[in-house]
């Protein structure tokens, strides 16, 4: 059923003109009544379909509401999003993917919701995920990697988000170590990586992506309004969430595949290109001391590399960084 719907969408998408019910029924090896039933389902998803006698069907417009079909429409990926679940409202997409992982769902399974009522950040923090305003999505990955490499997946995801935002707008995104995407010093996206692992092998990773897309002024909770924003607020334009998700997924797939084949080096360079305050001086507080240092970049284990005023290098895994004047404070 699922794959027939996808094939039907693909067939309709390829056509500039109408395609007859007969042609569709032959191509899909289903009855004409079944074709008609699928068409009705597509209409329920918000597709506007023109049906003309003796000519057939044509898609006049696709909906802007997010659904499984509208997302898979035009999604040119090999493995990511081939299994895709969309829900109007969930507690957290992370929990659903953990459940699907335990049920044995494959690498690349995606869960996306219009709204999360218990969206979560790191360390059980809250993640505000209002209905229809953003991308609230989790991806199941089954990488054949040792657990120490898991932080690289967070860094990889950050480069994907920065790249896609960069390409699709005039905004200049930056990546604040370790996992925030900022625009004009304000957080527009966060990443939550959760892992299930044995001693030397990752069993699976649930990669959560939260992006504030179409919130308007006043729609960001006042508690965080000084440090958070949305792509619409920063760019002045409304974003098409479906297309945005599709380009995130296809860029993610390409980036991930080349990371698996060629290693971390390119991700590191890309991350540093977008890295917030890389090359600049900040104040750092660790368990041992407070000091001023220049941020140099990241290491393969996910650490942030800094050089203090005496020229001594520090690898930071968890430290409080005072991002400075006009900067972001976590
Ligand atoms: C993150 O945590 O930035 C990770 C966010 C991951 C959210 C996704 S949405 C899909 C998937 N399902 C989930 O349940 N989660 C993932 P962290 O670095 O800990 O940042 C959390 C902090 O950011 C909060 O304590 C707030 O201060 C702030 N915050 C909360 N909601 C925000 C929002 N919508 N935009 C910007 N900042 C926010």
């Amino acid at each position: 059923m699922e794959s027939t719907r996808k094939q039907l969408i693909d067939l309709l998408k390829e056509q500039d003109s109408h395609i007859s019910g007969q042609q569709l029924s032959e191509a899909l090896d289903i009855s004409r009544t079944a074709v008609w039933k699928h068409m009705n389902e597509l209409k329920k998803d918000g597709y506007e379909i023109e049906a003309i006698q003796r000519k057939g069907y044509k898609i006049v417009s696709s909906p802007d509401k997010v659904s499984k079909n509208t997302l898979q429409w035009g999604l040119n990926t090999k493995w990511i999003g081939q299994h895709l679940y969309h829900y109007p409202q969930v507690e957290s997409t992370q929990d659903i993917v953990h459940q699907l992982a335990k049920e044995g769902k494959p690498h690349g399974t995606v869960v996306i919701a219009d709204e999360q009522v218990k969206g979560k950040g790191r360390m059980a923090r809250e993640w505000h995920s209002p209905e229809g305003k953003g991308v609230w999505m989790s991806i199941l990955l089954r990488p054949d990697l040792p657990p120490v490499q898991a932080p690289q997946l967070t860094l990889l995801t950050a480069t994907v988000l920065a790249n896609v935002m960069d390409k699709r707008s005039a905004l200049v995104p930056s990546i604040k170590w370790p996992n925030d995407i900022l625009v004009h010093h304000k957080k527009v996206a966060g990443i939550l990586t959760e892992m299930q692992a044995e001693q030397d092998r990752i069993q699976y990773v649930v990669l959560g992506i939260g992006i504030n897309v179409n919130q308007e002024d006043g729609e960001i909770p006042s508690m965080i309004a000084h440090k958070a924003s949305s792509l619409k607020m920063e760019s002045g334009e409304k974003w098409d969430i479906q297309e945005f998700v599709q380009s995130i997924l296809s860029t993610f797939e390409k980036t991930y595949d080349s990371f698996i084949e060629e290693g971390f080096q390119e991700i590191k360079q890309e991350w540093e290109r977008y890295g917030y305050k890389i090359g600049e001086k900040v104040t750092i507080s660790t368990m041992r001391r407070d000091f001023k240092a220049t941020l140099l970049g990241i290491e393969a284990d996910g650490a942030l590399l800094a050089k203090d005023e005496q020229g001594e290098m520090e690898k930071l895994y968890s430290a409080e960084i005072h991002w400075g004047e006009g900067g972001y404070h976590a």
Side-chain angles (χ1 to χ4, degrees):
M1 182 75 170
E2 262 177 32
S3 64
T4 310
R5 184 82 43 82
K6 169 107 171 67
Q7 282 174 41
L8 175 62
I9 288 175
D10 286 344
L11 277 171
L12 287 164
K13 198 189 74 186
E14 282 162 17
Q15 303 297 315
D16 291 330
S17 60
H18 294 73
I19 178 164
S20 73
Q22 185 61 35
Q23 279 171 303
L24 288 170
S25 104
E26 278 167 20
L28 300 171
D29 201 17
I30 55 174
S31 70
R32 290 191 58 174
T33 318
V35 169
W36 181 78
K37 279 189 184 151
H38 280 296
M39 288 296 176
N40 283 342
E41 288 303 309
L42 288 183
K43 281 185 200 162
K44 275 192 214 154
D45 270 322
Y47 287 102
E48 213 184 305
I49 295 171
E50 188 178 66
I52 299 184
Q53 260 195 350
R54 279 190 287 276
K55 279 176 89 181
Y57 300 97
K58 183 181 175 211
I59 291 199
V60 183
S61 72
S62 43
D64 65 358
K65 87 172 182 200
V66 170
S67 72
K68 181 178 159 64
N69 284 339
T70 58
L71 277 174
Q72 286 189 327
W73 169 278
L75 180 65
N76 292 318
T77 57
K78 291 191 287 290
W79 52 266
I80 201 165
Q82 298 303 309
H83 289 72
L84 188 142
Y85 301 80
H86 166 260
Y87 300 97
Q89 189 194 64
V90 299
E91 291 202 337
S92 160
T93 54
Q94 292 293 102
D95 302 342
I96 299 176
V97 173
H98 277 289
Q99 186 56 39
L100 293 173
K102 288 182 188 120
E103 289 168 14
K105 291 290 184 290
H107 178 68
T109 297
V110 170
V111 171
I112 183 161
D114 294 337
E115 179 184 12
Q116 296 186 116
V117 292
K118 275 195 192 158
K120 54 184 179 182
R122 293 174 303 152
M123 295 170 276
R125 292 184 195 127
E126 218 180 287
W127 183 260
H128 187 66
S129 323
E131 186 192 348
K133 297 288 178 177
V135 176
W136 326 123
M137 156 168 98
S138 301
I139 303 170
L140 171 61
L141 298 174
R142 296 186 181 280
D144 191 9
L145 294 173
V148 290
Q149 274 183 273
Q152 295 182 353
L153 296 172
T154 311
L155 302 168
L156 178 155
T157 306
T159 68
V160 168
L161 298 185
N163 256 311
V164 175
M165 288 175 198
D166 197 357
K167 253 186 245 145
R168 296 182 75 82
S169 71
L171 299 176
V172 182
S174 47
I175 308 173
K176 185 178 82 70
W177 183 81
N179 71 328
D180 296 343
I181 309 290
L182 308 187
V183 172
H184 301 139
H185 305 287
K186 287 188 164 183
K187 179 161 171 173
V188 294
I191 300 161
L192 173 65
T193 309
E194 295 177 316
M195 168 172 69
Q196 193 69 34
E198 285 150 22
Q199 229 167 28
D200 55 356
R201 232 194 106 249
I202 294 177
Q203 250 172 9
Y204 69 83
V205 165
V206 180
L207 214 145
I209 296 174
I211 312 173
N212 299 328
V213 184
N214 284 328
Q215 286 102 325
E216 320 225 356
D217 281 336
E219 289 183 332
I220 301 277
S222 54
M223 288 277 283
I224 55 170
H226 61 287
K227 60 174 184 176
S229 189
S230 76
L231 295 175
K232 181 175 184 195
M233 283 157 68
E234 298 308 315
S235 66
E237 278 165 23
K238 188 170 181 225
W239 288 48
D240 180 328
I241 292 185
Q242 275 177 61
E243 278 183 17
F244 186 38
V245 169
Q246 287 167 337
S247 61
I248 292 169
L249 293 178
S250 67
T251 308
F252 188 96
E253 183 176 283
K254 280 191 209 102
T255 313
Y256 181 93
D257 285 347
S258 76
F259 160 68
I260 294 296
E261 240 166 61
E262 284 152 39
F264 184 62
Q265 190 55 28
E266 202 161 314
I267 305 293
K268 174 178 152 69
Q269 279 170 12
E270 208 45 16
W271 195 99
E272 288 172 354
R273 188 160 83 81
Y274 287 112
Y276 186 61
K277 303 236 159 160
I278 296 297
E280 292 178 41
K281 205 171 260 188
V282 297
T283 307
I284 298 170
S285 310
T286 64
M287 302 274 267
R288 291 186 297 121
R289 59 179 182 140
D290 284 2
F291 60 103
K292 282 204 168 63
T294 306
L295 298 180
L296 298 181
I298 48 164
E299 295 277 284
D301 59 1
L304 182 65
L305 195 63
K307 186 160 107 179
D308 72 11
E309 287 174 315
Q310 285 69 47
E312 203 186 310
M313 298 291 209
E314 278 265 3
K315 277 179 79 170
L316 306 168
Y317 292 93
S318 61
E320 188 168 345
I321 297 166
H322 306 280
W323 294 98
E325 208 45 40
Y328 177 98
H329 298 270

